[in-house]
Amino acid sequence: MGINTEHLKRLPIIDILENRGLKSQMKQYKHQWFGPCPIHGGDNPRAFVVTPSKNLWYCFTQCHAGGDIIELIRKLDNSTYDQTLQYLSTFTGHETWLKSNAVHSVSDRNTYKPFTQTLSIDQNQWLLSQKGIASEMANLFQAGVYSRKGYLNNCLVVRLHDISGNPLGYAGRRLNEHEAVKFGKWKFPPQFPKGRILFNFHRIKHRVDQAVVVVECPWGAMRLHQLNIPAVSLLGTHLSEMQLRILSMVPQIVLMLDGDLAGRKAALAINMRLRSHTQSDIVMLPEGQDPDDLCDLDLRNIIRPFFSHL
Ligand SMILES: [Zn+2]
């Protein structure tokens, strides 16, 4: 299937555990990490050991088993070998991402200081209307062009909130395409805990008794919100353990990631993780199309099977 398993086996076990919010219960002693076993779920703090130098793990109490990262994910997710490779391959090329977007433990939860000030955003909505986002939506989401000096200069910004709706700061989509190619499309505040955010969740949390659409990018969530369809954005293609916990409470998830290779791979991996908790389905977008590239009619038609009110 074209996946380089040797490369996957070098993905640091401890970083994958951190990404899943499991490292916070572990402690380092000399060259190893110890903690309760995340597979059988006991509470012995020395049951499970990870040796980063060898990138291997072992459970000394109930499982009496160990191995590499592939074996660990197979056991954690109860997934097949192929599903595990699919999941892990979504991390390759994102090794630095893994660390910076990890779910932080309770103790370092305060390393990010929320930026609560309201930025003055350019009312020129041309770029947003190109994405089909009406000015009322732009106002509601506090999105627009930021052209003053500073970190978000020359970005199309949108305000970020925690799941309760407290403001955390802004994300910015670089408008200079040369910089976007070189440094990535999006800018987040330093140490921003992306894995603890589910963009737009606080606006739809009273509606999670029905289906919720999950997209990569805020624009897609805004477009769907505008059509009265509950939607959240992952701010990327990775599902953190915290996002998984929230989405597991929703009876039906509709994954609508971008119509590119990264989006498709991520949708498969995320679907696999969600499926052991709730009903989850993938809608594939046409090649090269993001949700905000589609017209309202197409968006509605794709989503209609999951919503009775459309
Ligand atoms: Zn165990």
Side-chain angles (χ1 to χ4, degrees):
M1 58 194 295
I3 292 174
N4 180 345
T5 49
E6 288 313 307
H7 185 72
L8 297 184
K9 284 179 189 171
R10 285 194 295 270
L11 286 168
I13 288 177
I14 206 74
D15 290 351
I16 299 277
L17 289 173
E18 184 172 14
N19 178 261
R20 293 183 152 219
L22 295 168
K23 189 183 163 195
S24 57
Q25 26 181 330
M26 299 188 71
K27 282 198 168 56
Q28 189 171 16
Y29 181 72
K30 294 193 176 161
H31 61 284
Q32 290 181 307
W33 285 82
F34 295 85
C37 175
I39 300 165
H40 79 259
D43 53 11
N44 181 338
R46 294 185 69 84
F48 181 79
V49 55
V50 173
T51 311
S53 60
K54 297 183 179 143
N55 210 31
L56 294 172
W57 62 276
Y58 198 86
C59 168
F60 285 98
T61 57
Q62 277 207 32
C63 305
H64 295 289
D68 58 22
I69 181 68
I70 297 175
E71 203 49 33
L72 177 62
I73 297 298
R74 279 187 68 178
K75 289 204 154 63
L76 272 177
D77 290 348
N78 202 10
S79 54
T80 68
Y81 189 76
D82 282 354
Q83 287 171 330
T84 306
L85 297 190
Q86 282 285 356
Y87 166 74
L88 286 172
S89 66
T90 66
F91 290 106
T92 57
H94 297 89
E95 284 81 356
T96 50
W97 175 92
L98 247 181
K99 271 189 119 51
S100 60
N101 290 277
V103 180
H104 292 269
S105 65
V106 178
S107 56
D108 61 12
R109 201 160 261 195
N110 294 324
T111 48
Y112 178 73
K113 286 246 180 301
F115 175 83
T116 53
Q117 231 172 294
T118 303
L119 292 181
S120 99
I121 295 168
D122 193 335
Q123 290 305 304
N124 179 349
Q125 305 292 2
W126 182 77
L127 282 158
L128 286 162
S129 60
Q130 267 197 323
K131 296 183 186 299
I133 294 165
S135 58
E136 308 87 75
M137 270 306 124
N139 285 336
L140 176 68
F141 281 82
Q142 301 180 61
V145 177
Y146 187 74
S147 35
R148 303 194 179 193
K149 287 255 173 295
Y151 178 68
L152 290 168
N153 174 260
N154 200 27
C155 284
L156 186 57
V157 304
V158 61
R159 198 155 199 185
L160 304 168
H161 301 83
D162 65 18
I163 56 167
S164 312
N166 302 307
L168 292 176
Y170 291 79
R173 166 70 165 88
R174 288 185 170 92
L175 290 176
N176 179 322
E177 282 309 318
H178 176 72
E179 284 179 14
V181 169
K182 200 166 165 195
F183 304 113
K185 290 179 185 172
W186 288 88
K187 265 186 168 179
F188 290 92
Q191 292 182 315
F192 184 76
K194 224 162 70 167
R196 299 215 320 271
I197 303 296
L198 196 52
F199 179 85
N200 201 36
F201 182 78
H202 68 286
R203 293 191 192 88
I204 62 142
K205 63 183 174 192
H206 60 287
R207 297 177 64 185
V208 295
D209 54 336
Q210 48 176 320
V212 168
V213 184
V214 175
V215 299
E216 286 181 35
C217 163
W219 317 132
M222 291 167 74
R223 281 289 306 282
L224 290 158
H225 197 87
Q226 188 167 281
L227 296 174
N228 195 26
I229 298 166
V232 294
S233 145
L234 300 175
L235 304 177
T237 52
H238 294 275
L239 180 75
S240 73
E241 203 62 24
M242 188 263 201
Q243 291 167 335
L244 171 67
R245 281 198 295 273
I246 298 172
L247 293 177
S248 297
M249 298 184 291
V250 178
Q252 165 79 62
I253 299 294
V254 184
L255 292 168
M256 191 197 261
L257 303 194
D258 293 352
D260 52 29
L261 186 62
R264 296 206 169 105
K265 278 167 76 176
L268 290 171
I270 292 171
N271 195 41
M272 189 187 89
R273 287 173 65 200
L274 281 168
R275 279 205 146 175
S276 45
H277 305 277
T278 186
Q279 176 68 36
S280 172
D281 291 277
I282 300 175
V283 292
M284 295 281 189
L285 296 186
E287 181 60 38
Q289 304 274 291
D290 301 345
D292 53 276
D293 293 325
L294 303 179
C295 66
D296 285 355
L297 185 66
D298 287 348
L299 271 179
R300 269 211 193 87
N301 283 340
I302 289 174
I303 288 301
R304 182 165 285 132
F306 304 97
F307 292 91
S308 50
H309 73 282
L310 291 174

